[in-house]
Amino acid sequence: MDPFMQAAIEEARQGLAEGGIPIGSVIVHKGRIIGRGHNRRIQEGSAIKHGEMDAFENAGRQPASVYRESVLYTTLSPCSMCSGAILLYGIPKVIIGENRTFQGEEELLRSRGVALEVLQDAECVKLMEDFIKARPELWNEDIGE
């Protein structure tokens, strides 16, 4: 498996172990992880700390040129908020672990020139299916339902 998707999955597992939602993300620039994170909405009582947003936060301030040369890995298809950040910072490529349990704004990202690769990784699917079954109320809250 791609080591960067594996890092995103490790982040997702860490979020689950903390009592949160198992979604992880890493931002990779020129073969090096510059930001990594996981969904921390439950842990921090946050409205915005999805996995991708946490990875952006942990990457810190970066020049626009760095983001334009980066790849974002996420275990789950990005929601509207996270897709907006991807577009805002000009991330050109997103590798998605799976989009079976949730179909995010992939059409919007593609329409704006972002290259997407969806892996349908079995571990990513299982993490989300198990979580949604066990904690549907937290999942619905996370996606604004």
Side-chain angles (χ1 to χ4, degrees), residues 2 18 33 100-101 116 124:
D2 183 306
E18 294 168 357
I33 295 174
R100 288 183 189 157
T101 62
L116 302 182
C124 293

Side-chain angles (χ1 to χ4, degrees), residues 97-98 100-101 120-130:
E98 66 102 352
R100 288 183 189 157
T101 62
Q120 301 303 10
D121 178 81
E123 188 169 2
C124 293
V125 172
K126 182 164 176 32
L127 275 168
M128 286 310 300
E129 284 179 345
D130 290 351

Side-chain angles (χ1 to χ4, degrees), residues 23-89:
I23 303 167
S25 182
V26 296
I27 300 169
V28 177
H29 179 254
K30 295 186 175 181
R32 183 176 69 85
I33 295 174
I34 61 169
R36 58 188 304 148
H38 54 271
N39 188 305
R40 296 178 193 263
R41 289 188 67 252
I42 307 304
Q43 300 92 310
E44 296 184 8
S46 171
I48 61 167
K49 282 284 186 91
H50 281 190
E52 299 92 332
M53 302 301 279
D54 193 39
F56 275 116
E57 180 73 13
N58 291 328
R61 286 181 62 198
Q62 298 291 331
S65 60
V66 169
Y67 288 124
R68 285 194 300 264
E69 297 172 340
S70 294
V71 177
L72 184 141
Y73 288 75
T74 181
T75 58
L76 186 66
S77 185
C79 73
S80 301
M81 175 177 64
C82 297
S83 293
I86 289 164
L87 294 174
L88 178 67
Y89 292 109

Side-chain angles (χ1 to χ4, degrees), residues 104-125:
E105 296 293 334
E106 294 175 25
E107 188 176 316
L108 170 65
L109 291 169
R110 281 190 187 99
S111 77
R112 297 282 296 274
V114 178
L116 302 182
E117 185 178 334
V118 182
L119 304 178
Q120 301 303 10
D121 178 81
E123 188 169 2
C124 293
V125 172

